[in-house]
Amino acid sequence: MTGKRLIVAALVLALVQIGFLGWIIASRAAILRNGKEVVLKIEPVDPRDLLRGDYISLGYDISRIPVKLIANIAAGKFSSDDTPIVVRLKKGEDAYWQPTAAWFGEAPAPAAADEADIRGHVAEGWDLRSPDMTIAPEYGIERFYLPEGQGMAIQNDMRVRPFGIKLALSANGTAQIKALMDGDKTLFEEPLY
């Protein structure tokens, strides 16, 4: 009788784990399929990860947010807490989306039709005393993995001409990388599954 319970418990645990993994994959696919698309201009940093292969470490205009854009800093607040941040984006004349405002926690109102919100995270300790200072949120879109042997060539090309990342943003601002763009040309597109 104990052996049967152990087998049933193992099967239930396996089904829960499979269900959880399926939920993660389906959530990502839903954002890629249905999310609002924005394109951010990128800068390369480093092309190789010894365990996972070629990648580009990405920096964006939203990687450094000026303190003056953060609308809800409490009076007398000198440094950031370990907290979420919402950055409002608007499409620029060059077709790349730029930050226009930011809030710790939640945005006070939904983004307009020509805007989009991206949700990130700010570590504790960023200096908030001067409007000239910047903070560096993380959005979970700081790396893009490439086919073996492609990273260095693409990084070198990025130093010569503008590249972008096409993102899909969910309604709550969660971002997923959809494609790597060389100008208007799609170089690599992320599969849904």
Side-chain angles (χ1 to χ4, degrees), residues 36-184:
K36 183 170 187 166
E37 285 187 0
V38 301
V39 178
L40 301 176
K41 193 173 192 177
I42 58 173
E43 309 167 343
V45 179
D46 186 4
R48 188 98 178 117
D49 180 333
L50 292 176
L51 298 176
R52 295 184 67 190
D54 285 2
Y55 74 93
I56 342 172
S57 186
L58 305 169
Y60 307 93
D61 288 340
I62 60 171
S63 296
R64 290 278 186 199
I65 299 295
V67 169
K68 64 185 170 198
L69 283 185
I70 305 170
N72 64 342
I73 298 174
K77 183 92 172 155
F78 297 124
S79 67
S80 65
D81 298 324
D82 188 25
T83 186
I85 189 169
V86 174
V87 178
R88 177 118 338 133
L89 306 172
K90 190 168 182 132
K91 193 174 190 176
E93 291 179 15
D94 61 357
Y96 293 110
W97 292 63
Q98 307 291 324
T100 59
W103 300 271
F104 289 127
E106 298 293 327
D114 64 340
E115 298 175 322
D117 288 342
I118 186 169
R119 180 173 299 283
H121 187 84
V122 177
E124 184 177 354
W126 287 97
D127 191 344
L128 303 175
R129 292 177 285 185
S130 168
D132 297 328
M133 301 299 286
T134 60
I135 62 169
E138 292 186 3
Y139 305 94
I141 55 171
E142 286 76 25
R143 284 188 178 189
F144 186 78
Y145 286 88
L146 300 163
E148 188 70 31
Q150 303 274 331
M152 192 59 81
I154 289 175
Q155 178 180 335
N156 291 336
D157 288 346
M158 288 176 150
R159 298 186 192 290
V160 181
R161 61 184 182 272
F163 276 66
I165 286 288
K166 185 185 293 184
L167 297 178
L169 296 173
S170 70
N172 74 354
T174 301
Q176 292 290 330
I177 294 176
K178 199 166 188 175
L180 174 65
M181 311 289 292
D182 181 355
D184 293 337

